Amino acid sequence: MIAQPTTTTITPGIQPPPIDYPDSDGQPIADNTKQFHWIQKIYMNLAAVFTNDPQVFVAGDLLWYPVEGDNKTRQAPDVMVAFGVPKGDRGSYKQWCENNIAPQVVFEILSPDNRFGEMLKKQAFYDTYGVEEYYIYDPDRHDLSILVRSERGDLRLRDDRPDDWVSPRLGIRFQMDEDTLTLFRPDGQPFSTLAEEIQRTKQERDRAEEEHQRAEQERKRAEQERDRADRLAARLRELGIDPEAIG
């Protein structure tokens, strides 16, 4: 008996199941503490810089899907910034749900496990889907690469040193010293971690308390001087001497 081929009957009006866009790629946020430190530091400071602008969305390690209907084409930048996009929680960044606005700025912090081929794929992705500024920092080698979209429309690596580079979109300044990278907010304050902010706040509070105590001590000394002067004036009057005449 010859087996008959099976056929699939499509019932008119039945829609195919919706495409699933996973919120996780199963990869860790960071491979080591140094990488995590930099991701957190950049994310938190950029979030602070744009905290009062409701149309700037800052995210870390969020899957970005640029094409509707394609759940394979995706990347999760370590940090990304999208201008013209409202703040709010998201499981992933589906570009077609965001007025088709691509994140304009992305950061990648390298770890020893990053492969050259993987970084080339990421660069091609960001180039293809409209990123304007792409920053790659290797904290182990202390190396910063800056790629900016050129007039020709592609991401180009800047040839000059990144010393004192100011991001056109973010307004933040990059300063490369001999052994460290420092980023500065538009107001000139350096990027800092939450722990550093807490420590600085404590130091400022301690200084304010010391100033208050010194002022209180000066006030008490002044009151004591006035009391002594009043007692002396009263004693002179008892002796029939006019304190004003002595003065």
Side-chain angles (χ1 to χ4, degrees):
M1 182 177 180
I2 300 176
Q4 297 297 318
T6 59
T7 59
T8 301
T9 302
I10 300 177
T11 305
I14 300 299
Q15 298 296 322
I19 296 175
D20 179 42
Y21 300 91
D23 292 344
S24 173
D25 58 4
Q27 300 298 317
I29 293 177
D31 293 331
N32 54 53
T33 57
K34 188 180 294 185
Q35 186 187 28
F36 185 73
H37 164 83
W38 277 101
I39 293 172
Q40 286 280 81
K41 189 173 188 177
I42 293 172
Y43 166 75
M44 292 183 62
N45 282 268
L46 289 179
V49 167
F50 296 105
T51 188
N52 293 323
D53 192 331
Q55 291 295 313
V56 179
F57 175 66
V58 183
D61 193 46
L62 186 70
L63 277 174
W64 164 22
Y65 294 94
V67 182
E68 185 175 9
D70 181 357
N71 61 4
K72 302 299 183 185
T73 301
R74 63 189 189 181
Q75 282 294 341
D78 287 335
V79 180
M80 69 181 190
V81 185
F83 291 83
V85 174
K87 288 178 168 53
D89 294 328
R90 294 160 173 80
S92 62
Y93 190 90
K94 303 180 183 71
Q95 188 171 316
W96 59 93
C97 296
E98 312 288 352
N99 291 323
N100 206 35
I101 297 175
Q104 294 92 350
V105 184
V106 299
F107 290 79
E108 293 286 358
I109 308 300
L110 300 188
S111 71
D113 289 339
N114 288 122
R115 301 291 186 267
F116 180 72
E118 176 188 355
M119 299 312 297
L120 283 180
K121 287 174 61 178
K122 287 187 177 183
Q123 180 176 334
F125 179 96
Y126 297 144
D127 194 355
T128 300
Y129 294 108
V131 169
E132 298 175 11
E133 301 175 31
Y134 177 26
Y135 299 95
I136 309 168
Y137 183 56
D138 184 340
D140 290 319
R141 297 182 179 180
H142 184 47
D143 180 70
L144 174 67
S145 298
I146 300 174
L147 293 88
V148 180
R149 193 161 294 276
S150 70
E151 295 180 355
R152 294 176 53 182
D154 59 343
L155 282 175
R156 288 290 184 91
L157 181 67
R158 287 179 55 84
D159 294 331
D160 53 333
R161 287 178 54 82
D163 299 344
D164 292 328
W165 164 257
V166 177
S167 161
R169 273 287 189 176
L170 305 175
I172 65 172
R173 181 167 63 88
F174 295 72
Q175 179 176 302
M176 289 287 286
D177 297 321
E178 183 176 349
D179 57 357
T180 188
L181 168 66
T182 306
L183 287 76
F184 294 87
R185 303 174 187 174
D187 63 3
Q189 290 295 319
F191 277 26
S192 58
T193 64
L194 178 59
E196 291 167 343
E197 287 287 346
I198 292 173
Q199 179 64 21
R200 184 168 62 184
T201 300
K202 181 180 182 301
Q203 290 173 346
E204 291 174 353
R205 187 168 58 246
D206 290 345
R207 284 195 294 270
E209 180 62 25
E210 289 174 1
E211 289 294 331
H212 174 74
Q213 290 178 359
R214 280 196 291 269
E216 186 65 17
Q217 290 170 356
E218 288 296 329
R219 185 186 66 80
K220 289 180 179 180
R221 278 196 292 269
E223 288 181 352
Q224 291 170 354
E225 289 295 330
R226 285 195 298 270
D227 289 344
R228 281 196 292 269
D230 290 343
R231 288 196 298 270
L232 177 59
R235 178 59 178 161
L236 290 174
R237 290 190 186 96
E238 290 175 358
L239 296 174
I241 302 173
D242 183 1
E244 297 294 333
I246 296 178

